[in-house]
Amino acid sequence: MRMGTIADAANKEASGSSLANEKVTVVFVLGGPGSGKGTQCANIVQHFRYTHLSAGDLLREEIKSGSGNGTMIQTMIKDGKIVPSEVTVMLLLRAMRESGNDKFLIDGFPRNEENRVAFEAVINIEPAFVLYFDCPEDEMERRLLKRNQGREDDNIVTIRKRFKVFMESSLPVIEYYNSKGKVCKIDAGKPAEEVFEAVKAVFA
Ligand code: ADP
Ligand code: C5P
Ligand code: MG
């Protein structure tokens, strides 16, 4: 990946924005597909002064916007693959700048080592902590199959691919932050209200 070029472009974008100061708080919200990241982020936003940025939502919006990358992103999502970081990091950076906020829940990112390194190279904000929603695979599968949001990747074939990508590429990122003492692990297999009680305790 052409990290120098991307970093230069992003630095140009970031300079003069609120992200250039050092008081920005980032929490990475990670967990398998269907573990409840989006659901719990919505709860957190209602109680705490955070802006919720879902990398998956930003990528889906990018497809809808008719961007030149749209077809590539759509193909990757349908196959459960991780979109090149240069795309996702630029979308996150833009959304962070446009929010006007300085506290962010970054949901579904970093999803692999490449995501993590690109964020570090371009945005360079160390997460305050990582919220990890730990949920059994059979429970995640049940939830995704009845999510009913018309997503092209909520079918059993793509779901299985996404689980594999999570185990192979995303869990190592969680392990990386765990080794730095930064992971708050939440038992996400319980009803949403109970999960939120545990989440609230982390933020309070
Ligand atoms: P993620 O963003 O991690 O993929 P979502 O928040 O979209 O997960 O949740 C996936 C589906 O499961 C949604 O339909 C949501 O309403 C439902 N859901 C979320 N949390 C729970 C929970 N604790 N118990 C049961 N269903 C849940
Ligand atoms: O988090 P969410 O379930 O919305 O992600 C849906 C899909 O978006 C992923 O399976 C992947 O194809 C893509 N994605 C990505 N990189 C990220 C987050 C999501 O490529 N950091
Ligand atoms: Mg989600």
Side-chain angles (χ1 to χ4, degrees):
M1 163 177 193
R2 305 171 310 282
M3 201 67 79
T5 324
I6 302 158
D8 292 347
N11 282 339
K12 217 187 263 173
E13 279 231 11
S15 65
S17 78
S18 59
L19 298 180
N21 81 46
E22 276 161 27
K23 290 188 309 181
V24 178
T25 304
V26 163
V27 174
F28 288 143
V29 181
L30 301 177
S35 59
K37 300 180 293 296
T39 303
Q40 296 301 330
C41 283
N43 287 336
I44 296 164
V45 164
Q46 286 188 349
H47 288 75
F48 305 96
R49 207 179 49 80
Y50 277 85
T51 293
H52 171 210
L53 299 178
S54 155
D57 287 349
L58 290 171
L59 290 165
R60 285 182 288 273
E61 281 165 25
E62 187 69 0
I63 298 171
K64 281 197 216 136
S65 79
S67 130
N69 284 320
T71 310
M72 179 275 288
I73 297 171
Q74 192 165 24
T75 306
M76 304 283 292
I77 288 182
K78 185 133 198 210
D79 207 26
K81 292 188 178 138
I82 298 168
V83 173
S85 302
E86 54 197 276
V87 173
T88 316
V89 169
M90 291 309 285
L91 292 175
L92 283 171
L93 180 60
R94 188 167 78 197
M96 289 169 83
R97 293 185 64 207
E98 286 174 359
S99 72
N101 200 351
D102 59 0
K103 288 157 73 90
F104 301 96
L105 300 168
I106 299 191
D107 157 2
F109 182 101
R111 222 137 156 148
N112 62 8
E113 181 71 4
E114 194 217 8
N115 272 183
R116 184 184 70 72
V117 171
F119 189 88
E120 209 171 276
V122 175
I123 301 182
N124 195 25
I125 300 168
E126 182 69 16
F129 59 92
V130 173
L131 203 55
Y132 167 38
F133 291 116
D134 185 27
C135 190
E137 206 169 278
D138 58 347
E139 171 65 14
M140 294 195 286
E141 186 177 300
R142 268 195 297 278
R143 292 180 188 177
L144 292 175
L145 287 173
K146 61 177 188 193
R147 178 152 58 181
N148 209 18
Q149 289 176 357
R151 280 178 52 164
E152 285 198 284
D153 55 350
D154 282 349
N155 60 80
I156 192 64
V157 174
T158 311
I159 287 169
R160 295 262 154 87
K161 290 182 182 171
R162 289 155 72 200
F163 286 156
K164 189 158 184 282
V165 168
F166 176 71
M167 298 298 287
E168 289 176 358
S169 304
S170 310
L171 265 185
V173 174
I174 294 165
E175 263 315 307
Y176 168 85
Y177 285 114
N178 195 37
S179 74
K180 297 177 89 179
K182 291 221 158 180
V183 173
C184 294
K185 180 166 149 179
I186 304 281
D187 176 0
K190 298 180 293 186
E193 303 73 33
E194 283 176 44
V195 176
F196 188 54
E197 287 308 310
V199 169
K200 247 195 297 195
V202 172
F203 282 87

